[in-house]
Amino acid sequence: MAKPREVGSQATGAVDEQHDDVGQTTAGRDSLELGHCSSEKSQSSTHSISLSGSVFEQIIENDRAYANDNYFMPCDEREQTRLAITHQCFASILNDQLSFQSIPHGTKRILDVGTGTGDWAIAVAERFPNAEVVATDIACFQPTDIVPPNVFFEIDDAQEEWTFTDLFDFIHIRALSGAFRDWSTIYKEAFKHLQPNGILEVADFGFAQMAESIPDSYLSIYNGACVTAANQAGIALGLEHMRRPVLEAAGFSVAKSRTFEVPLGTWMPDARKKVAGKMALISTLEGLEATSLRLLTRHTGWKADDVRDVCGKVQEELMRPGVRPSIPCQFTVARKLMM
């Protein structure tokens, strides 16, 4: 048990690169009951939680719970709810599929890096009952009951050397923009732990944007401040980690990449796009504080109240009639080719 610490407040040819509006969508699977990662404060600034007999420490800063001193995203109940909604949003974008690249029926081992609430790992384990699904994360807020027998949650930091003994057929990395200082190391480990012809799929959201850019908008101020803070923290937000050269440098062959422009809200006329847009808006609005609070208070000297004030103003802008906001969602599929 760690000692408590005091803290402050398919194809191998040419790449298929496409950019589309979000396609026909349906709602994803219902989220499971969470709550195994309590957000209640202790008298000190830390408290411990356990998973399968191990004990892990949470750090409380500015009324949000974090898994460690480094990762900028929280892991409290609010964030668990947002991640569950984000999972459903991804499913809607993919027309109720779990991945952009079809997972072969004979797949035996699947790895989900940064599993979060474990929704994707549980869903893929249910859809592929003969496959072993390993799901890793630095935090322990995955459910420990009512899960398929073929899914295994492990506490692990993907930035350290991977120690899996058996290779995987499919590796899934989603919504981890800014999580790693060096994505090339992550991709090299993924390449090393894939079977020949194995598949890596990376998916992420970029920055929220409005149909017409307004230079002095609160959204532009927010986005700029987050980028500045992330740079000072030694990480990069956005979609830079999904560029073809980054993956190819690790040995991968990029098969295809596609970006969907997902509406934020229900302003699109198509009924199914309204479903995806509603979930994307909820996830984005709730994610404003989650993304910025630790970054801005630690690295740019903002006060927590000022961060929350700007987040509130951004929320008002995004919900203003006629703004037509959207957010890019990119999927990149790469293969480990036979040598």
Side-chain angles (χ1 to χ4, degrees), residues 99 103 109-111 120 168-172 194 199 201:
S99 57
I103 301 176
R109 279 175 56 82
I110 299 171
L111 173 64
W120 188 88
F168 295 94
D169 303 294
F170 190 95
I171 296 180
H172 179 255
L194 270 176
I199 300 169
E201 178 166 311

Side-chain angles (χ1 to χ4, degrees), residues 11-16 243-245 247-248 252-257 332-335:
T12 61
V15 178
D16 173 20
R243 293 185 301 113
R244 176 180 178 177
L247 287 150
E248 290 182 338
F252 284 103
S253 175
V254 177
K256 55 185 177 181
S257 181
T332 298
V333 177
R335 285 185 178 273

Side-chain angles (χ1 to χ4, degrees), residues 29-34 36 51-52 115-129 131 133-135 141-154:
R29 60 190 294 274
D30 292 336
S31 59
L32 296 176
E33 180 180 355
L34 303 174
H36 295 272
L51 178 67
S52 300
T115 191
T117 52
D119 288 288
W120 188 88
I122 292 169
V124 80
E126 291 173 342
R127 197 163 296 186
F128 294 88
V133 180
V134 178
F141 51 77
Q142 302 80 33
T144 55
D145 55 359
I146 318 178
V147 297
N150 57 322
V151 62
F152 303 91
F153 293 111
E154 298 182 6

Side-chain angles (χ1 to χ4, degrees), residues 35-42 47 49 58 60 63-65 75-78 80:
H36 295 272
C37 188
S38 172
S39 60
E40 295 181 357
K41 275 189 178 180
S42 64
H47 69 278
I49 49 181
Q58 283 187 316
I60 306 299
D63 298 319
R64 300 301 301 261
C75 64
D76 47 27
E77 187 173 348
R78 285 177 59 186
Q80 293 171 37

Side-chain angles (χ1 to χ4, degrees), residues 5 17 48 78 117 134 160 174 258 272 278 310:
R5 290 164 290 159
E17 294 182 349
S48 298
R78 285 177 59 186
T117 52
V134 178
E160 299 177 357
R174 187 177 76 179
R258 179 171 295 181
R272 291 185 176 180
K278 183 177 181 179
V310 168

Side-chain angles (χ1 to χ4, degrees), residues 68 70-71 113 136 138 156-162 178-183 185-186 189 233-235:
N68 58 28
N70 300 316
Y71 188 39
V113 178
T136 66
I138 59 171
D156 195 20
D157 187 346
Q159 297 180 100
E160 299 177 357
E161 183 180 4
W162 297 12
F180 309 125
R181 289 177 175 270
D182 184 6
W183 275 91
T185 299
I186 303 300
E189 290 291 338
I235 58 177

Side-chain angles (χ1 to χ4, degrees), residues 48-104:
S48 298
I49 49 181
S50 64
L51 178 67
S52 300
S54 299
V55 179
F56 304 91
E57 178 187 283
Q58 283 187 316
I59 298 173
I60 306 299
E61 288 182 19
N62 298 310
D63 298 319
R64 300 301 301 261
Y66 297 87
N68 58 28
D69 265 331
N70 300 316
Y71 188 39
F72 67 99
M73 294 295 289
C75 64
D76 47 27
E77 187 173 348
R78 285 177 59 186
E79 179 64 3
Q80 293 171 37
T81 301
R82 188 190 72 84
L83 290 174
I85 294 170
T86 303
H87 169 71
Q88 295 182 39
C89 183
F90 273 111
S92 292
I93 295 168
L94 294 174
N95 198 25
D96 205 28
Q97 298 301 306
L98 293 173
S99 57
F100 183 61
Q101 171 66 44
S102 296
I103 301 176

